[in-house]
Amino acid sequence: MHDDAARMGGTRLGMLTPSSNTVLEPATAWLLAGTPHTTAHFQRLRVLRIGMDPALNAQFDTAPMVAAAEFLADAQVHALCWNGTSGSWLGLDADRAFCAAATAATGLPCITATLALHDALAALGARRIALVTPYLAEIQDAIVANFAAAGIATIAERHLEDPGNFSFAGHPAAKVDALVREVAAERPDAIIIHCTNFRGTEGAAAIEAETGVPVLDSIAVSLWGALRAAGAPTAPLARHGRLFTL
């Protein structure tokens, strides 16, 4: 942990959040319940719909994201996280470029939901994955192609043809859990729930225990990645799944 974090008695995590997201903040608070010395602090970035149209992808341009990161830096957070999954369809280089620019502007370590996911997959040695999202087919296809380029095969997938972003939160947790159980039947190395406005967080650990397959929910993965970036321990959250023991 950074020296100033130790002096203040805790770790502050700076989360950049899609503006129309309503699941991420309460889910992160739920994950952090019982760990009072770790807090998450949020700055919203305008994101209204998800699709492959260039105008929609412009929502994730580096400049406004870095400006949002600079506001979070005012809170003297110890690490930054883009708690959105755009890098999964735009490509990891987009996330890497944002992190490099944010670190240059703020001096803070930076991670994203998708970069943290790839770190988790590497730590698990997972090369055959199942993917559950609410996205349109064009987004899902781009994500699967990017995984393939990284040597990761998607052996099962479910998506809901929802253009989102606000509407992603309307799918009940029971529906998300059912999709996760469906793909678990294919026995992948890991199951990925990849959307930070999707209600997969609370059911993930139970399904993991039930099936024996690691379940990587993007909200939990983002928190895990942010904790690691801040130099803070993840083991206190091990009740939420194998991810936090890696």
Side-chain angles (χ1 to χ4, degrees):
M1 187 183 299
H2 293 255
D3 290 342
D4 56 341
R7 285 198 303 272
M8 295 293 289
T11 301
R12 294 180 296 280
L13 305 174
M15 302 294 197
L16 281 77
T17 309
S19 60
S20 50
N21 192 317
T22 60
V23 173
L24 169 60
E25 289 146 313
T28 301
W30 178 79
L31 288 166
L32 287 174
T35 54
H37 298 298
T38 301
T39 54
H41 306 271
F42 298 87
Q43 173 66 29
R44 287 177 178 261
L45 180 79
R46 176 57 60 82
V47 178
L48 298 177
R49 293 182 65 246
I50 302 298
M52 292 303 291
D53 185 282
L56 296 179
N57 287 333
Q59 296 172 119
F60 310 109
D61 286 350
T62 297
M65 293 180 71
V66 171
E70 290 178 312
F71 285 130
L72 281 169
D74 291 346
Q76 299 186 33
V77 295
H78 301 106
L80 297 166
C81 178
W82 163 226
N83 216 313
T85 56
S86 55
S88 63
W89 63 88
L90 296 178
L92 294 180
D93 284 347
D95 274 7
R96 292 184 183 116
F98 159 66
C99 284
T103 297
T106 66
L108 295 168
C110 183
I111 192 68
T112 74
T114 302
L115 291 174
L117 173 62
H118 279 264
D119 289 343
L121 291 173
L124 287 167
R127 310 303 292 178
R128 299 166 61 260
I129 61 99
L131 177 66
V132 174
T133 80
Y135 299 137
L136 299 173
E138 63 182 7
I139 293 289
Q140 192 84 341
D141 290 347
I143 295 172
V144 169
N146 284 331
F147 274 130
I152 298 167
T154 303
I155 65 167
E157 65 86 19
R158 298 289 188 277
H159 64 282
L160 297 178
E161 286 296 314
D162 187 341
N165 187 73
F166 177 81
S167 56
F168 295 157
H171 301 288
K175 182 176 185 177
V176 181
D177 291 349
L179 296 175
V180 174
R181 288 189 170 94
E182 285 178 17
V183 297
E186 300 299 322
R187 305 306 300 171
D189 298 333
I191 300 167
I192 297 164
I193 309 167
H194 206 50
C195 173
T196 62
N197 199 30
F198 206 36
R199 300 184 185 279
T201 309
E202 293 193 22
I207 296 173
E208 180 177 280
E210 170 190 318
T211 64
V213 180
V215 179
L216 302 177
D217 168 74
S218 58
I219 295 174
V221 167
S222 295
L223 179 57
W224 174 79
L227 287 166
R228 284 163 47 98
T234 63
L237 299 179
R239 65 190 179 280
H240 294 304
R242 181 177 172 187
L243 169 70
F244 292 101
T245 69
L246 299 175

